[in-house]
Each structure stands twice: as structure tokens, then as C-alpha cells.
Amino acid sequence: MDTYLVGGAIRDELLGLPPGDRDWVVVGATPQRMLDAGFRAVGRDFPVFLHPQTGEEHALARTERKSGRGHRGFVVDADPSVTLEEDLQRRDFTINAIARDAHGDLVDPYGGVDDLQARVLRHVGPAFAEDPLRVLRAGRFMARFAPLGFRVAPETMGLMRQMVASGELDTLVPERVWQELRKALAAPQPSAFLATMHACGALAAILPEVDALYGVPQRAEYHPEVDTGVHQQLVSDMAARLAPGDDLVGFAALVHDLGKALTPAHVLPKHIGHEHAGLKPLAVLCERLKVPLEHRGLAECVCREHLNVHRLAELRDATVLELLERCDAFRRPERVAGIALACEADKRGRLGSEEAAYPQGGELRRLHAAAIAVNARDLPDIGALAGQQVGVAVRKARIAAIAAARTLRAATAAPSS
């Protein structure tokens, strides 16, 4: 039997990127032979084994035959007669269909090395169309590799459009869609995912609430990019810049403006009340994709409060406390940093504002720190209070703490005479 290093490890090495997990393909072996060699079986849908020393995954070379709709509708053949070329042929993109043998020589039957050099994401063959998940993977790879100059091959984009039109994406289970979306939001350029999905029609199938933002105008004096969909792409990239690899902040930034798609035509390009209008489509999106509660909670706060955070300096002390209370910031203090970052991404995700200062983010964190430092046990005469009186006293003390923090900041910021 022969063993080959395959896939992403070779791709990333050739691109000069840090190495990730290494995957191996074994040609000419049977499951029993792998077990006899000390490997441990872990594959459910096809034969995958863990190396007894390294723990790295070794999969038997296999072919796949379409047997039904969706990304699970396949029959797998892992017969020892399956060749390396046949195994590589079932892979999604040419840049992922490169192998290296035990002597260090590359095996590249589908031109993956040339496509890496040309910075092209191209499907290996017609079998690409059999798995709708690959459309989302194309977007996710673009989110990762667009900063390196990658583009989707025209024939691949055309095939993806055909796949969307066939309705195959409707067979994807929410968990897989969410998994690909999270990875895209954690990548360096999420806008490439959105742009790729929008261009092939997939965004309307998986995230119709976001797709609806494209073509919706905004006031040019606040949004020189005008198109709300373009603004969203800028915001998502800014979130990735401010919070690299953080899909929690990335998701909150992605859905903060969903209400703008619901603005009546006669009101445009203004979007009065869009922050509250966006809560309903956000809830629908989260239910459909089974979004984790942590992501949903932060996203709701950012959707509802981003305009208030932008004008934080204009809010009264009591209003600042109410904002923090609505965001559950005293039970979930970690939310405040995420809210600040997502709101900053919104403000700086506009043409010409990429390097603008956003003091509101630091101020929100500072005022929250002042308010949360208030401890009921430290308040005078607290022992004489009961029930609701304690809560009232704590709120008054927190408002006073916010006021004091603002006074201190104003005093330190004032020029000396």
C-alpha cells in the first residue's frame, strides 16, 4: 500500500501559509490491513483511520457515486483498486487535489499547482455539481484567499449558478450552512464570501435577509458607498480586521443592518427605525440556521443599539445605564467588548472612513467598567433597605458612577490653562 499527503496541507505550503492539519490518502489497502498495522478506525461514512503514533487522519482512497439529493446523497467505494488519481478526481477544487508521495514528489493530475500560481479557484470536474455544499465552500475559500489575489474561474462560477438554480442548496441542513458561514466570518476577507455567494445567487438561498440589502440605497453623506450591500461587505471586512478570527463579532456585524432591507421605498434613502425593524428578520435568520444563543444574543444587541452607541456622548447618564441593562451587560459583561467592536466596524465600514477614530467603543467599555464596579454591599445604609429598594439604590449608584467617569474623562481631556 502507498501513502500520500493530500489536500490543504500541500496547498497552504505551496502558498507559503502556516501549515494546518495534515491529511493522508492510503492507496491499495483494506480496513483490516489498516487495523492490523495499528491504526484506529474513526470514519462513519467512509474508512478513515488515525495513525498509531501521530494521530493524523489516514483515509482509504475512494470514489463517490451520486445516489440522492444533497451533500450526503453518495455511495462510497473504498476498494483497494481505487487509484490516487480517482481519489483526487472526487475533490472539490484543483488546488485541493494535489498529493505528495513518500519521495517528496508532487502528484498533480488536474493542474492544481498552475491554478495556485494563477490564483484561480477552479472545480476539478463535473462531479463538483453533485455536492451543493461545495458552493458554500467556494465562498469560504474566497474569504480566506481573496487577500492573496484569488478569483473564481468563470466556468466554476457558471456551474455554481446552475447548482443554485437547480434548488440543490435547499437540501443543505442548517448546521452545515452555519458551519461554513462561521468559517467565512472568521476569515481575513468575509466580503469575498458575500460577493461570491451574491454573484452566483447562493446568498439569496442561504441568507436572503442579507442578500436583500444589495441595491438598497443609503444617504450618500453618511454612506459614500450608497449601496447597503456594499456597506455590509465593508463592515464585515472591518470586523475581521478589528477582531481577527472572531466569528462572534463577525456575525453581529453581518446582521446589524437587516432592517434597511425593509425600509419603504418612499422613505429611501433614509432608514428611520431600521435598528428595531432589523430584529424580526434577525430572529427568522437565527431560527432557520440554528444560530448559537451566544451569537444571537450579541447580534440582537448590536442590531438594536448600534445607533445609540454611535451617539453615546449625547446620551444621558441614565440612558447609558439603560442601554447596558438592555444588553444584559451586568450578567454578561463580556458582551460589551463585542458590541463595541461590531459598532466600530459599522462606523468604519464606509468608503473613506476606514482609518477614522471611534472613541465611542473605548468609552462604552469605560462607562460599563465604572457601573459594574458598583457593589450593593458597599452602599451606605444598604442593610436598612429591602426588596425593590436595593435595586433602586444600586441603579442610582451606577448612574452616579457613570456620571463620575464622564466628569473625570472631561477633566483629563480639558487643556490645562
Side-chain angles (χ1 to χ4, degrees), residues 1-5 10 13 24 84 99-107:
M1 67 183 184
D2 296 311
T3 302
Y4 299 85
L5 181 65
I10 297 175
E13 178 186 327
W24 304 81
L84 176 65
R100 174 175 285 136
D101 64 21
H103 304 291
D105 297 324
L106 293 180
V107 181

Side-chain angles (χ1 to χ4, degrees), residues 219 259-260 263-264 267 269-277 307:
R219 294 174 64 179
K260 288 184 176 179
T263 300
V267 179
K270 296 180 179 180
H271 292 278
I272 301 168
H274 74 274
E275 66 278 19
H276 295 287
L307 294 187

